[in-house]
């Protein structure tokens, strides 16, 4: 009998801790991943500027950023490894049941990690040792692998949210079509692009924020610092208005294929025709209290029709509903922060068009400084929306998270240990970044770094 | 050869490469522990670090590779192993975190004291991970991991005679491999003193690893009798013999200071041990679960069988490039920079008219946003995405942030 060779669901007291442990591991990994995606492109651009102009300043900047990238990459690698282990340590039933369906996605991802790690080795240790052109070329696969890696991991997540491509019999997958499962749903592309743009926003604002901080503290503000500030800032400011459009595109797919998630995002208790949108507020007893109501907006946004019917949470029994307030607050945080950052971006771009100069106002630098951590909050909030909004399912509509969890004892011990280790890791990363920032700038003598030097 | 066995071969190849390559990384960490203080100790530790820093990430990915192949091709086995051996695997993961973190930290260390502290953490983590992974393998070999969600014993599945023996063997092998590799690197760098230090270490650790390997056989005999018999008299015997011969050969090569060759024979000895384990245990993956029973559905197996060689076709040339540069000394800290005439200064992108760029960027934004919000067909939406990407690229080119930074503004000048 086939079913004999599968794992059976077990009783696990500490499901919540297992979920929190998973969430913690993601919250640590994902911001690092943003740097893995966006940083190589920025560094390559600066190195290319150096090759084009021969200006040593760009070389210095690219080298200093490279050092930061290596440190963050190392931490990205280990936190990603933890996630791979957790697929088995926390969710063995999930992997044992569906590994044959989604596993190939991670396998291809593994190859892209290989390329990333190999070329990071060559790029980082090849400064000064490879010819300048070869060196620049050796960085290109890093940027490509960053994209390919996210494509694959997101294809898995998209499949978990929109499962297809398999036949289940007695709890065992008897027929699997991984390619159809991973790439056969349109949701993948929406999620991927939203995440990819987010990576540029997060990396751009965090980097620019670091230099804005230096300026606010009246640190040196030479051409070096201005360049290091302007490049990531421009990228983030171009990307953040885009993100609003892309986010709306994502939300409309959620409305169609995960109506219960949408109802949780919006706190919609009952199925409603011409559903209103609520800003802020708190969800209790099937409705949002203390919120600002905008009539018919939800129907308009989700279905482009003010009188469209939007399904409410009451379409499924309570045990099939996600924790509404967690999801809703996370969603509103993301959208709120995203809107503010988009406004900041538009201001910057308008100033560029009208005056062709960098903003000078103190408030602008303060805003950029705040945008760094806020973009990180938006990123994690977005993932909370997606993942917690999918609950109680780990594979939407097919497998419950409680059926996926391990039967092993000691989850709280593992959780506490990992939390402590990650705390130490955070301290260590902060330490190394400070050290790297404080290393003296080794700009060549006589280069026009300070002063307003006319374009050389 | 059955289709269902092919992914297992891939996983075993990955495991051999992980044991050899990452094993040498772990071993380098172990030698840092015994390097002692003073200038000599520092030289040993620096040498070990520089030899591994460019490659450790690539070497580490082999572990990820093995995990992903097993969970896509033998999902039920993966779930059973990971849940029963959760503590051993968690400990291995902790070691991996600490090691990676110390790689990141080392570049920021300024004083010898900080370096020593970092290297100490690195060394301890380098003991923990191979031991824990070896213990996990021992648990599987001894048949202590049954099919099921955490159905095996939480502790005795990996704390038992076989596990301890294999864990210790993993540490000894790692140290041995590292000593051989580091001696070869020192020879390449023409560092005579370091070379002779690592030669001694290689000889010593080689003898110890050999002794532990023989000892482990006795442990297996008492604790994991079935696999012992298959190793001594069954399918595993040829591999056992290859491993012994290659081990002795490596010692001879090290004695003769032929380190480059010794690299490969040492790797062969380790590969033979892994192969011997696999041969002795097949067709059983876990007690009550054969390879065929654990295998994923047909189409998934076909896909794994196609994708791994396809990925390998990109991977191996890249690896060859990395190790080629490394072994030719092109990534060494003291390598001479290639002489290159600096390109003539040019004004970046001055030729392109920013006004035109800016207007095209704006047009892309409007058109892209309109398509993404209102278009129904997926082609139109894809076009919208392309246009939005064009907005970012064109907008960036028009903004010319590097040029912006040249001009110092009024209040900055004050
Ligand atoms: C810098 C980060 C960032 C910003 C500014 C935004 N998002 Fe976002 N959002 C994410 C980062 C993110 C993410 C990368 O964290 C998620 C998680 C899953 C995904 O694909 O992207 C996400 C998910 C996500 C989802 C859930 C998809 C699902 O549950 O499957 C929706 C509906 C939105 N976003 C919508 C928006 C809207 C309307 C925004 C408008 C301002 C917005 N996002 C800004
Ligand atoms: C593939 C296997 C995966 C499993 C088994 C899994 C499972 C889970 C579970 C159970 C939670 C906890 C939900 C809760 O707290 O209620 C969670 C949270 C989360 N997951 Fe997933 N998920 C997987 C894939 C992914 C992927 C591929 C991503 C990102 C690409 C992702 C991102 C997140 C995030 C960001 C959180 C919450 C973060 C937070 O709360 O701070 N997950 N996941
Ligand atoms: C279930 C979820 C995830 C798993 C199992 C996972 C696994 C991993 C692993 C094993 C690594 C280390 C690779 C190496 O050794 O070089 C890694 C790094 C990386 N991951 Fe994740 N990851 C997950 C979520 C994500 C998400 C959400 C993204 C982005 C969309 C992502 C993108 C990357 C990238 C780009 C790297 C390269 C390292 C870096 O640049 O920091 N991963 N991940």
């Amino acid at each position: 009998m086939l079913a004999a060779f599968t794992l059976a669901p077990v009783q696990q007291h500490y499901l919540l801790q297992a979920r929190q442990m998973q969430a913690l591991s993601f919250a640590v990994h994902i911001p690092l991943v943003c740097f893995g995606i966006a940083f190589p492109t920025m560094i390559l651009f600066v190195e290319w500027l150096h090759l084009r102009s021969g200006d040593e300043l760009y070389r210095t900047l690219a080298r200093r950023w490279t050092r930061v990238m290596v440190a963050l990459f190392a931490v990205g690698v280990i936190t990603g490894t933890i996630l791979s282990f957790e697929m088995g340590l926390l969710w063995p039933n999930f992997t044992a049941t569906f590994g044959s369906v989604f596993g190939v996605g991670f396998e291809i991802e593994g190859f892209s990690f290989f390329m990333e790690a190999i070329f990071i080795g060559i790029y980082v240790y090849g400064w000064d040792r490879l010819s300048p052109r070869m060196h620049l070329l050796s960085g290109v696969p890093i940027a490509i692998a960053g994209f390919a890696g996210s494509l694959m991991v997101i294809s898995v997540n998209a499949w978990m949210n929109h499962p297809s491509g398999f036949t289940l019999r007695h709890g065992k997958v008897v027929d699997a079509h991984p390619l159809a499962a991973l790439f056969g749903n349109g949701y993948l592309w929406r999620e991927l692009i939203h995440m990819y743009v987010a990576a540029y926003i997060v990396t751009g604002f965090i980097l620019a924020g670091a230099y804005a901080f230096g300026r606010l503290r009246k640190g040196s503000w030479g051409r070096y610092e201005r360049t290091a500030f302007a490049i990531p800032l421009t990228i983030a400011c171009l990307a953040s208005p885009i993100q609003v459009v892309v986010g709306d595109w994502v939300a409309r797919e959620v409305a169609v294929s995960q109506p219960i998630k949408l109802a949780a995002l919006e706190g919609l208790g009952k199925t409603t025709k011409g559903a209103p949108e609520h800003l802020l507020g708190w969800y209790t007893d099937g409705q949002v209290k203390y919120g600002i109501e905008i009539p018919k907006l939800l129907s308009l946004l989700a279905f482009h029709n003010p009188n469209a019917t939007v399904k409410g949470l009451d379409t499924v029994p309570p045990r099939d509903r996600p924790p509404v307030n967690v999801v809703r607050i996370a969603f509103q945080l993301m959208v709120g922060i995203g809107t503010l950052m988009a406004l900041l971006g538009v201001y910057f771009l308008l100033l560029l068009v009208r005056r062709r100069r960098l903003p000078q106002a103190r408030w602008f630098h303060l805003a950029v400084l705040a945008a760094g951590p806020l973009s990180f909050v938006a990123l994690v909030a977005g993932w909370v929306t997606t993942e917690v909004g999918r609950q109680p399912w780990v594979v939407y509509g097919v497998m419950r998270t409680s059926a996926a969890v391990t039967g092993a004892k000691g989850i709280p011990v593992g959780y506490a240990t990992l939390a402590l280790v990650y705390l130490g890791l955070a301290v260590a990363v902060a330490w190394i970044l400070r050290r790297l920032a404080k290393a003296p700038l080794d700009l060549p003598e006589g280069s026009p770094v300070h002063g307003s030097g006319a374009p050389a | 050869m059955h289709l269902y066995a092919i992914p297992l071969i891939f996983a075993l190849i990955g495991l051999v490469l992980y044991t050899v390559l990452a094993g040498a990384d772990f071993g380098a960490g172990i030698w840092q522990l015994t390097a002692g203080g003073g200038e000599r100790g520092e030289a040993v530790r620096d040498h070990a670090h520089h030899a591994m820093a460019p490659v450790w990430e690539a070497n580490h990915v082999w572990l990820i590779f093995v995990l992903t192949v097993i969970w896509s091709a033998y999902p039920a086995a993966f779930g059973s192993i990971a849940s029963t051996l959760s503590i051993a695997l968690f400990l291995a993961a902790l070691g991996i975190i600490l090691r990676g973190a110390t790689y990141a930290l080392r570049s920021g260390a300024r004083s010898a004291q900080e370096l020593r502290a970092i290297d100490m953490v690195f060394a301890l983590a380098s003991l923990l991970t191979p031991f824990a992974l070896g213990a996990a393998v021992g648990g599987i070999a001894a048949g202590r991991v049954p099919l099921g969600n955490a159905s095996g014993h939480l502790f005795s599945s990996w704390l038992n005679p076989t596990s301890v023996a294999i864990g210790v063997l993993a540490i000894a092998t790692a140290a041995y491999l590292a000593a051989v590799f580091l001696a070869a690197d020192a020879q390449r760098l023409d560092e005579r003193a370091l070379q002779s230090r690592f030669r001694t270490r290689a000889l010593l650790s080689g003898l110890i690893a050999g002794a532990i390997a023989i000892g482990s056989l006795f442990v297996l005999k008492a604790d994991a009798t079935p696999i012992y018999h298959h190793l001594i008299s069954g399918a595993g015997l040829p591999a056992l013999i290859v491993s012994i011969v290659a081990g002795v050969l490596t010692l001879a090569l090290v004695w003769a200071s032929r380190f480059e060759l010794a690299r490969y024979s040492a790797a062969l000895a380790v590969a033979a041990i892994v192969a011997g384990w696999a041969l002795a245990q097949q067709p059983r993956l876990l007690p009550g679960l054969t390879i065929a029973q654990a295998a994923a559905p047909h189409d998934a197996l076909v896909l794994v069988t196609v994708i791994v060689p396809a990925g390998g076709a990109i991977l191996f040339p890249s690896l060859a490039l990395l190790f080629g540069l490394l072994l030719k000394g092109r990534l060494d800290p003291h390598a001479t920079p290639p002489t290159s005439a600096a390109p003539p200064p040019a004004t970046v992108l001055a030729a392109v008219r920013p006004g035109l760029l800016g207007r095209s960027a704006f047009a892309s934004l409007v058109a892209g946003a309109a398509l993404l919000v209102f278009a129904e067909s997926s082609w139109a939406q894809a076009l919208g995405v392309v246009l939005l990407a064009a907005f970012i690229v064109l907008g960036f080119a028009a903004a010319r942030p590097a040029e912006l930074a040249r001009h110092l503004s009024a209040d900055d000048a004050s």
Side-chain angles (χ1 to χ4, degrees):
Chain A
M1 191 180 131
L2 281 172
F5 303 114
T6 60
L7 276 56
V10 290
Q11 203 53 35
Q12 174 58 264
H13 269 298
Y14 297 105
L15 174 62
L16 186 65
Q17 281 76 2
R19 284 167 56 186
Q20 284 169 353
M21 192 168 163
Q22 176 79 34
L24 168 72
S25 314
F26 269 119
V28 174
H29 181 62
I30 294 182
L32 294 160
V33 162
C34 290
F35 281 84
I37 293 171
F39 218 174
T41 331
M42 295 188 196
I43 294 177
L44 285 177
F45 172 71
V46 176
E47 192 185 359
W48 176 78
L49 283 179
H50 166 64
L51 279 190
R52 282 286 304 254
S53 68
D55 190 336
E56 286 296 319
L57 181 139
Y58 296 128
R59 198 182 127 82
T60 307
L61 180 58
R63 292 203 61 159
R64 284 175 73 97
W65 276 2
T66 303
R67 267 177 234 140
V68 177
M69 178 176 76
V70 187
L72 293 179
F73 182 73
V75 187
V77 168
I78 54 186
T79 52
T81 306
I82 298 306
L83 287 170
S84 305
F85 273 68
E86 283 174 349
M87 299 281 291
L89 294 182
L90 293 177
W91 317 108
N93 267 14
F94 166 69
T95 316
T97 311
F98 294 107
S100 56
V101 184
F102 70 76
V104 170
F106 283 115
E107 226 163 83
I108 305 176
E109 196 200 14
F111 281 107
S112 85
F113 290 154
F114 264 124
M115 301 309 283
E116 202 165 355
I118 289 171
F119 284 94
I120 279 228
I122 295 177
Y123 185 80
V124 169
Y125 293 89
W127 275 106
D128 286 343
R129 293 162 206 156
L130 302 173
S131 76
R133 204 171 294 274
M134 278 306 289
H135 187 256
L136 184 71
L137 273 181
S138 75
V140 174
I142 309 176
I144 298 177
F147 180 76
S150 349
L151 167 64
M152 295 323 298
V153 78
I154 297 228
S155 73
V156 175
N157 190 266
W159 171 81
M160 291 164 65
N161 279 294
H162 300 253
S164 65
F166 60 90
T167 316
L168 207 56
R169 202 174 300 149
H170 306 300
K172 185 178 162 89
V173 169
V174 290
D175 190 21
H177 303 283
L179 289 182
L182 294 176
F183 302 108
N185 69 65
Y187 175 73
L188 158 65
W189 305 106
R190 305 189 185 214
E191 202 178 359
L192 173 71
I193 290 160
H194 196 49
M195 173 67 201
Y196 199 67
V197 174
Y200 278 87
I201 296 179
V202 170
T203 308
F205 276 131
I206 289 183
L207 268 180
Y211 293 96
F213 182 62
R215 185 185 155 157
L216 287 165
R217 280 200 326 182
K218 308 267 181 236
S220 106
W221 192 246
R223 183 159 79 88
Y224 173 84
E225 287 82 9
R226 295 197 301 271
T227 310
F229 174 69
I231 291 174
L233 179 67
T234 308
I235 293 181
C237 284
L238 285 162
S240 45
I242 296 291
Q243 188 73 321
V244 179
V245 180
V246 176
D248 167 62
W249 187 46
V250 178
R252 271 180 284 123
E253 174 73 29
V254 174
V256 173
S257 51
Q258 291 184 299
I260 301 310
K261 189 190 264 184
L262 185 81
L265 299 186
E266 306 292 352
L268 192 67
K270 291 191 188 59
T271 303
T272 315
K273 188 167 176 298
E277 174 91 35
H278 288 94
L279 301 182
L280 306 175
W282 180 259
Y283 178 86
T284 46
D285 303 332
Q287 55 184 327
V288 176
K289 292 244 170 74
Y290 321 114
I292 306 161
E293 182 175 320
I294 307 172
K296 303 206 177 198
L297 185 62
L298 177 56
S299 290
L300 184 66
L301 282 177
F303 298 102
H304 283 173
N305 171 1
N307 294 316
T309 304
V310 182
K311 277 191 190 158
L313 289 159
D314 61 353
T315 37
V316 293
R319 63 190 286 268
D320 288 348
R321 298 175 197 166
V324 176
N325 278 315
V326 178
V327 181
R328 195 167 168 273
I329 291 170
F331 181 65
Q332 301 226 343
L333 254 181
M334 167 177 62
V335 176
I337 294 173
T339 311
L340 289 178
M341 290 193 304
L343 291 176
L344 191 66
V346 169
Y347 168 82
F348 172 83
L349 295 177
L350 285 180
L351 190 75
L352 258 190
V353 171
R354 309 229 341 246
R355 301 260 183 82
R356 250 217 84 65
R357 64 166 171 77
L358 286 176
Q360 286 151 20
R362 188 177 157 81
W363 73 261
F364 184 84
H365 291 83
L366 278 172
V368 173
L369 175 61
L374 283 178
S375 66
F376 164 69
V377 173
L379 178 79
V380 175
W383 279 110
V384 171
T385 309
T386 304
E387 295 294 291
V388 181
R390 191 189 58 226
Q391 301 302 319
W393 307 101
V394 65
V395 182
Y396 191 65
V398 179
M399 179 186 253
R400 281 174 194 274
T401 311
S402 57
V405 72
T406 179
K409 295 197 178 57
I411 288 179
V413 179
Y415 180 30
T417 314
L418 192 74
L420 276 179
V421 170
Y422 274 176
L423 195 66
L425 194 64
V427 173
V429 169
W431 179 82
I432 179 80
L433 291 182
R434 261 179 75 87
R435 271 290 159 88
L436 291 177
K438 282 195 166 168
L441 264 185
D442 48 351
L443 287 172
E445 290 284 316
S447 63
V449 183
H450 300 283
S452 66
Chain B
M1 167 89 33
H2 291 283
L3 177 64
Y4 61 71
I6 294 176
L8 191 61
I9 309 257
F10 295 151
L12 286 170
I13 293 174
L15 187 61
V16 166
L17 286 165
Y18 181 69
T19 316
V20 171
L21 296 168
D25 291 3
F26 290 122
I30 297 169
W31 290 121
Q32 307 218 330
L33 191 66
T34 59
E39 226 167 87
R40 278 179 59 154
E42 203 175 314
V44 167
R45 286 187 283 125
D46 274 348
H47 178 59
H49 176 77
H50 288 308
M52 301 307 167
V55 288
W56 77 271
E57 273 152 337
N59 292 346
H60 169 75
V61 184
W62 286 111
L63 178 62
I64 311 291
F65 173 79
V66 173
L67 293 182
T68 59
V69 171
I70 295 184
W71 82 43
S72 15
Y74 312 100
F78 179 82
S80 310
I81 292 169
S83 54
T84 287
L85 294 172
S86 54
I87 297 183
L89 293 177
F90 187 67
L91 290 177
L94 285 184
I96 289 170
I97 303 184
L98 292 178
R99 270 173 53 89
T102 48
Y103 267 115
L105 287 181
R106 213 174 187 273
S107 63
R110 295 241 183 85
S111 65
Q113 224 174 349
E114 286 176 359
L115 266 187
R116 279 207 69 176
I118 291 172
D119 286 347
M120 184 58 77
V121 175
F122 182 75
L124 291 176
S126 301
L127 286 172
L128 180 61
T129 303
F131 177 80
L133 290 176
V137 167
I140 300 170
R144 287 195 161 87
V145 181
L147 176 70
N149 186 342
S151 323
H153 196 278
L154 196 59
F155 290 99
S156 72
S157 59
W158 62 282
L159 279 180
N160 56 68
T162 307
S163 287
V164 172
I166 305 215
V168 173
L169 182 62
I171 293 178
T173 323
Y176 175 43
L177 283 167
V180 174
F181 283 27
L182 289 172
D185 290 329
Q187 194 171 39
R188 188 191 71 231
L189 292 171
D190 217 10
E191 296 268 7
R192 294 285 156 74
L194 278 173
Q195 182 189 323
S196 83
R197 261 178 247 163
F198 278 108
R199 177 173 172 269
T200 317
R201 284 170 163 80
L203 288 172
L204 243 158
S205 58
L207 289 173
I208 295 176
I212 294 177
I214 295 169
S216 307
L217 279 179
F218 288 102
V219 176
L220 282 185
K221 186 176 178 190
D223 188 54
T225 320
I227 200 161
Y228 170 80
H229 283 302
H230 287 124
L231 255 184
I232 286 298
S233 52
L237 185 62
L240 190 65
I241 294 173
V242 171
S243 156
I244 294 170
V245 172
V248 173
L249 179 68
T250 314
L251 279 179
L253 287 169
V254 170
W255 182 263
S257 293
R258 304 288 303 272
F259 302 115
E260 258 333 300
L261 281 176
R263 262 187 213 274
Y264 297 101
S265 64
L268 179 63
V270 174
I273 296 181
V274 174
W277 166 44
L279 289 171
Q281 192 170 319
Q282 55 101 7
R284 205 170 46 106
L285 216 46
L286 301 177
L289 187 71
T290 64
I291 301 169
Q293 288 162 342
H298 179 266
D299 283 16
L301 291 178
V302 170
L303 199 60
V304 175
T305 309
V306 172
I307 278 179
V308 172
I314 309 172
L315 170 63
F316 282 104
S318 312
L319 274 179
L321 180 67
L322 174 67
F323 281 98
L325 288 170
L326 188 78
L327 295 181
K328 270 189 250 142
R330 295 285 296 276
L331 303 181
D332 289 337
H334 311 298
T336 45
T339 47
S340 66
T347 316
V348 175
L349 271 182
V352 192
R353 292 213 309 272
L356 184 63
L357 280 175
R359 274 192 289 276
S360 346
F362 185 69
S364 315
L365 172 65
V366 174
L371 282 177
L372 216 54
V373 175
F374 297 110
E376 296 289 333
S377 87
S378 42
W379 284 112
Q381 293 182 351
L383 183 63
V385 170
V386 171
L387 285 169
L388 289 182
F391 160 69
I392 295 189
V393 173
L394 293 171
F396 189 76
R400 289 181 302 154
E403 300 293 308
L404 274 183
R406 283 178 186 278
H407 306 283
L408 197 58
S409 52
D411 69 286
D412 283 327
S414 63

